[in-house]
Amino acid sequence: MRFHVFYTAELSSRIVEDHRRVASHVGLDVEYHRFGHDPDYNRRYTLHGRFLTDVLRDDPDDVSCFLDADCLPHDAALLRAVYEWVRANRSFAGNAQNISHAVTRNRVYAAASMLMIHKDAWRALGSPSLAWTTRRHSFPGPRVQIDTSELLTVRANRSGFPYRLLLPLGFDEEPSWTLGPFGSYGHGTLYPGTWHHFQANQLVEGPTPLWTARVDDILSDRELSPRYRSLHFGAV
């Protein structure tokens, strides 16, 4: 089980080093891929998805695993269990996310922040590019965005292909966003196995206090306890 992390040159080296320390502490094998800075946001955003697709196509392993640079692992055993499920079922699994401001906000997908994909699943779904794009939707209005890695879930839902989502457990700070009908997530979201800072542009100049606190928690083997719960109703 090897993870791949994409990042561009403008991200603070302290963030990458923190990620390395955390991954090593929890016992994960991670390969970091640094790309040059492109001031054009759309090109930079597209590059991420193309990177995911290239790794998936060329990876000698049957299961390709990805983490975002601002998504910290905290439970290697749980991530290993997800990996074994993906391998055994020739499927995919990832952190649940959506585009909360779009008309497709109820469409929740396996996001690239933590994503594992079996090659057979990718091929069965037509070997889609994982780069973001826009396309027509059944709703009236302009073209809608298909986010990075989202097309995999869109095609799986269309064909009834089985996969798994890791739903958020809670989050640390506002702002927050509604995850369709399933709950909420926000700045510093705790997922099973990972913790996602979100708004990675805040980390370009260096760590935020929240980032530093969570890095220290993981390195000190402290339990991660989010301030807000993600479920709309019921227990945390």
Side-chain angles (χ1 to χ4, degrees):
M1 182 176 70
R2 166 173 283 196
F3 283 89
H4 298 270
V5 172
F6 166 96
Y7 70 100
T8 52
E10 75 273 15
L11 183 67
S12 168
S13 61
R14 295 165 63 192
I15 301 302
V16 180
E17 181 56 32
D18 281 346
H19 202 287
R20 288 183 191 274
R21 290 193 298 138
V22 166
S24 176
H25 179 77
V26 302
L28 288 189
D29 182 11
V30 180
E31 183 174 349
Y32 294 85
H33 305 260
R34 184 179 187 270
F35 289 81
H37 173 60
D38 190 329
D40 185 281
Y41 176 79
N42 286 342
R43 286 199 303 262
R44 191 166 69 247
Y45 202 36
T46 301
L47 179 62
H48 183 201
R50 288 178 177 170
F51 161 79
L52 300 176
T53 308
D54 290 346
V55 170
L56 181 55
R57 183 192 62 233
D58 300 333
D59 197 338
D61 294 332
D62 290 335
V63 179
S64 298
C65 305
F66 303 97
L67 286 169
D68 275 356
D70 67 331
C71 189
L72 297 169
H74 65 80
D75 190 334
L78 191 148
L79 293 173
R80 169 63 69 175
V82 176
Y83 176 85
E84 295 298 342
W85 184 89
V86 168
R87 179 179 290 281
N89 291 276
R90 299 177 182 271
S91 183
F92 67 95
N95 285 347
Q97 199 170 312
N98 67 339
I99 306 178
S100 60
H101 62 274
V103 69
T104 54
R105 63 182 62 88
N106 285 342
R107 188 170 67 198
V108 179
Y109 62 92
S113 61
M114 197 298 294
L115 182 63
M116 303 184 189
I117 311 170
H118 198 290
K119 269 189 172 60
D120 287 354
W122 180 59
R123 291 172 182 143
L125 295 169
S127 304
S129 170
L130 301 187
W132 80 286
T133 185
T134 60
R135 60 182 53 192
R136 292 291 179 190
H137 195 272
S138 56
F139 296 111
R143 294 168 68 91
V144 297
Q145 179 175 334
I146 306 292
D147 209 355
T148 304
S149 81
E150 184 181 358
L151 188 55
L152 198 67
T153 303
V154 170
R155 291 191 176 184
N157 289 342
R158 190 179 298 155
S159 63
F161 188 92
Y163 62 94
R164 293 276 170 93
L165 294 177
L166 284 74
L167 294 174
L169 304 173
F171 57 96
D172 294 317
E173 295 179 354
E174 297 287 352
S176 62
W177 312 278
T178 299
L179 185 66
F182 298 106
S184 298
Y185 63 116
H187 195 197
T189 294
L190 180 65
Y191 286 97
T194 61
W195 176 88
H196 193 184
H197 183 277
F198 281 106
Q199 298 182 319
N201 61 305
Q202 296 182 4
L203 302 174
V204 168
E205 299 299 326
T208 62
L210 176 60
W211 172 269
T212 297
R214 286 316 192 195
V215 167
D216 289 346
D217 285 341
I218 298 171
L219 293 178
S220 300
D221 297 318
R222 289 191 289 266
E223 182 179 358
L224 303 185
S225 299
R227 180 178 180 183
Y228 303 100
R229 68 182 186 181
S230 286
L231 293 178
H232 290 315
F233 307 104
V236 176

